[in-house]
Amino acid sequence: MSDSQENKPVENSTEVKPVAEKKPAAEKKEKKPAVKKVGVMETLQTPDYIKERIEIWEGLKAKHLESLKGNNNNNMKEEPINITLPDGKIVAGIKNKTTPYDVAKGISRGLADSIVSSKVNGEQIWDISRPLEADCNLQLCKFDSEEGKKTFWHSSAHILGQAMERIYGGQLCIGPATSEGFYYDMAMGDKIVSAEDYKLINEVAQKIVQEKQPFERLAVPRDIALTMFKFNKYKTEIISKIPQEETVSLYRCGTLVDLCRGPHVPNTSYIKSFAVTKNSSAYWLGKAENDDLQRVYGISFPDKKQMEEYENFMREAALRDHRNVGKAQELFFFHPFSPGSAFFLPHGTRIYNKLVEFIRDEYHKRGFTEVISPSIFSQKLWEQSGHWQKYSENMFVLPVDKDNFSLKPMNCPGHCLMFGSRQRSYRELPLRFADFGVLHRNELAGALTGLTRVRKFQQDDAHIFCTTEMIEDEINSCLGFMQYVYGIFGFEFGLELSTRPDNFLGEVAQWDIAEASLEKALNKFGKPWKLNPKDGAFYGPKIDIHITDCLKRSHQCATIQLDFQLPIRFDLEYQSDDASELKKRPVIIHRAILGSVERMMAILIEHTGGKWPLWVSPRQAIVVTVNKTHNEYGQKVCKQISDAGYYCDIDDTDKTISKKVREAQLAQYNYILVIGQEEINGNTVNVRTRDNVVRGSLTVDDLISEFNQLVKEFK
């Protein structure tokens, strides 16, 4: 029906209608050419340095392929290799031809399509599209493995880097995979990245994924690498540190060529779901005196369902964010006049003190002696301990009496002075010094994050001075202490043995003894543990404990470290029971369970969602009266509960009882005690919980007895 007919009344169907005149045929209009839709990539400029870099790459690649062709002609005979899988099965392969993907495909196509990385001989992570070079043990890695995530997110970082180069044209710096995704740093001059840019970055990244760009690898001479990256001072700085005789490993995907050891997924289409998550400022190499950079973070997954699950997880995590809960419950805040140092408000201080008291009570049961040490020390102390050479940039240094002093970032050197303050006997060992002293570390401003990364904090820090023969028992005791505490908080945990780093102090033989002692203690403890090579402290190996919260996030808080170095540096000795050896050197065990009390408090806030168990709650009970005639009895109940040692408030305002109860629930009071005339007559309180469970009437004495039992059970 045409527009002119729509508004007319409907004609009678029996009426004879005149025949409409036939309109002359309309002239055929000339068909216009279709407008070509311009893609997002076509709107971006390709800087000249990218074109030059690609031109050099193509020349190098052609030479490489020609070289391979010549080698194949000269070596017509294929060399067989044996590839051993984790189950012991041996797969036949061909040297420099068979890839991990080929091996997986020989097992099943489904397996081949699900792997993203591989591990050769238990150490080297390997591209699944890269030919194997000799007999080897091969582990095929899916995304859900540690190696798989690292490879997948590393490849995603290259996609992000390519997008940033095309959009901003700056100088890329570094772009690693992290435990929670990936990021890329870029020097952009006066430009900055903003949240409004995320949509464009995501669109460009999606286009890169759709193009199925292969990840290609070349190893080139250092001089050629310097030529390729002459436009980028950050990359040339990295290349210049590589010895002249060594080659530089490069990877290319699309227009991006980057310094990279790999490995990577075969092509960009493996990244099915990609998203920018946040951005921040950063410094080149993490040093404040270096250039300012822009950092863009991202996350990616091999399927969209996992991205949806991640987004749901992040929404739940945002609701539990300790910074938001801390503000809503008036626990703590930060101020620019003291960045990185929390102001704990009364309710936050209650939680903080309760955590310290809990550990302090355990110290008394477990044979620890609490000490108090100075907060400021001469530079000479840190030079003697070795911390000045390794850690001075993270200290707050102060000029005092024409000398350099610093606020202490750790307690161990001070405890060494305490041990060495007089002659010690073997009868005193093990000597367990515990210290809740305030520590200061000069963290970068950009790294400060709520209570999890601060400049001023306290630890449940302890140092155990013992004999070599005592090490195993003491470490097992520390592990048992840790297990008890984390069990109360409801944390699961994992154990890692971190061994000698490249920058270690001392003799290799001493390190071997220390590492063997820790390994023996872990095996005796009976829980599964993993080896974390080269991640020990510079003064000794350590056991790192990673806890898992209710959102399945991992946090490292507790640590147990063995130290043979500080006793040597401070010339610590004790009188031996061996007549043939008058003096012996003790061993130090560094130990923390909560770690930073601030960090543990942040983890507990998010673990509980701000719904504190009664024993540590800053708002244990509140009395709410129905009207003002009940206020006197309400005040009496409130005082009785407070006198019993519990935090109790009263709402005796003119608000309605339903409003009072609702506000108390939102404030996360564990117990809401409603008082009306019936409760006054029966000398009781009507008990409700923050989850709106109505318990009914209880006497105050019975309620206090219930509180006592819950606190005793840490509930």
Side-chain angles (χ1 to χ4, degrees), residues 82-91 119 135-139:
N82 289 325
I83 303 160
T84 306
L85 300 178
D87 62 0
K89 180 181 178 182
I90 297 177
V91 177
K119 186 185 275 191
D135 292 345
C136 64
N137 294 315
L138 179 67
Q139 180 182 342

Side-chain angles (χ1 to χ4, degrees), residues 340-444:
S341 300
F343 290 76
F344 284 96
L345 296 165
H347 290 90
T349 302
R350 291 174 181 179
I351 299 169
Y352 198 102
N353 287 343
K354 181 58 71 174
L355 294 174
V356 171
E357 288 168 13
F358 168 50
I359 297 296
R360 184 172 277 137
D361 289 344
E362 288 300 314
Y363 280 162
H364 182 70
K365 299 172 188 175
R366 297 171 186 269
F368 286 82
T369 302
E370 192 170 345
V371 298
I372 299 173
S373 55
S375 293
I376 184 169
F377 288 95
S378 166
Q379 176 180 328
K380 295 181 178 66
L381 173 80
W382 308 113
E383 289 173 346
Q384 183 174 345
S385 70
H387 288 95
W388 189 261
Q389 298 88 320
K390 306 285 184 179
Y391 206 79
S392 58
E393 64 183 19
N394 296 108
M395 295 184 186
F396 286 101
V397 181
L398 308 169
V400 180
D401 298 332
K402 299 182 180 180
D403 201 353
N404 280 337
F405 280 68
S406 75
L407 294 170
K408 65 177 178 182
M410 64 276 295
N411 288 307
C412 39
H415 290 182
C416 287
L417 295 180
M418 286 182 161
F419 183 92
S421 63
R422 66 168 175 80
Q423 186 173 339
R424 301 286 178 178
S425 166
Y426 71 91
R427 293 184 178 88
E428 296 178 73
L429 305 184
L431 184 59
R432 307 180 186 99
F433 285 155
D435 197 332
F436 289 104
V438 176
L439 305 176
H440 290 84
R441 295 181 183 175
N442 192 10
E443 302 283 358
L444 294 172

Side-chain angles (χ1 to χ4, degrees), residues 187-454:
M188 298 169 55
D190 295 332
K191 295 180 183 177
I192 60 170
V193 178
S194 70
E196 287 73 30
D197 297 342
Y198 295 179
K199 184 174 183 291
L200 177 57
I201 298 173
N202 286 334
E203 287 177 354
V204 175
Q206 186 57 41
K207 185 64 177 175
I208 293 168
V209 168
Q210 291 171 356
E211 289 177 354
K212 203 175 180 177
Q213 300 172 359
F215 280 91
E216 301 173 314
R217 179 181 180 272
L218 286 177
V220 306
R222 195 186 77 149
D223 290 346
I224 292 178
L226 286 169
T227 300
M228 290 182 77
F229 291 95
K230 63 185 179 183
F231 62 88
N232 187 319
K233 70 175 186 177
Y234 307 99
K235 300 291 186 184
T236 55
E237 181 177 335
I238 295 171
I239 297 168
S240 298
K241 295 176 182 177
I242 299 172
Q244 176 71 40
E245 65 277 7
E246 291 187 13
T247 58
V248 179
S249 178
L250 305 177
Y251 274 82
R252 176 189 174 184
C253 67
T255 59
L256 178 74
V257 177
D258 206 0
L259 305 176
C260 183
R261 289 191 295 267
H264 286 286
V265 295
N267 63 70
T268 57
S269 72
Y270 275 62
I271 316 300
K272 304 297 185 190
S273 193
F274 178 105
V276 173
T277 55
K278 61 180 179 179
N279 68 281
S280 68
S281 58
Y283 299 112
W284 169 237
L285 301 180
K287 296 182 178 180
E289 64 269 21
N290 289 346
D291 292 352
D292 290 327
L293 308 174
Q294 291 291 296
R295 176 172 295 177
V296 179
Y297 294 85
I299 189 72
S300 62
F301 296 98
D303 64 62
K304 293 182 178 179
K305 183 181 177 183
Q306 286 176 288
M307 180 64 81
E308 291 173 4
E309 291 171 351
Y310 169 81
E311 290 171 346
N312 290 335
F313 166 84
M314 292 306 294
R315 280 191 285 271
E316 176 64 22
L319 292 175
R320 292 170 174 264
D321 190 306
H322 75 277
R323 292 164 293 187
N324 298 332
V325 175
K327 182 178 181 181
Q329 295 189 2
E330 295 187 11
L331 303 179
F332 64 88
F333 71 92
F334 290 89
H335 196 281
F337 285 169
S338 187
S341 300
F343 290 76
F344 284 96
L345 296 165
H347 290 90
T349 302
R350 291 174 181 179
I351 299 169
Y352 198 102
N353 287 343
K354 181 58 71 174
L355 294 174
V356 171
E357 288 168 13
F358 168 50
I359 297 296
R360 184 172 277 137
D361 289 344
E362 288 300 314
Y363 280 162
H364 182 70
K365 299 172 188 175
R366 297 171 186 269
F368 286 82
T369 302
E370 192 170 345
V371 298
I372 299 173
S373 55
S375 293
I376 184 169
F377 288 95
S378 166
Q379 176 180 328
K380 295 181 178 66
L381 173 80
W382 308 113
E383 289 173 346
Q384 183 174 345
S385 70
H387 288 95
W388 189 261
Q389 298 88 320
K390 306 285 184 179
Y391 206 79
S392 58
E393 64 183 19
N394 296 108
M395 295 184 186
F396 286 101
V397 181
L398 308 169
V400 180
D401 298 332
K402 299 182 180 180
D403 201 353
N404 280 337
F405 280 68
S406 75
L407 294 170
K408 65 177 178 182
M410 64 276 295
N411 288 307
C412 39
H415 290 182
C416 287
L417 295 180
M418 286 182 161
F419 183 92
S421 63
R422 66 168 175 80
Q423 186 173 339
R424 301 286 178 178
S425 166
Y426 71 91
R427 293 184 178 88
E428 296 178 73
L429 305 184
L431 184 59
R432 307 180 186 99
F433 285 155
D435 197 332
F436 289 104
V438 176
L439 305 176
H440 290 84
R441 295 181 183 175
N442 192 10
E443 302 283 358
L444 294 172
L448 300 176
T449 311
L451 294 177
T452 60
R453 196 74 175 267
V454 291

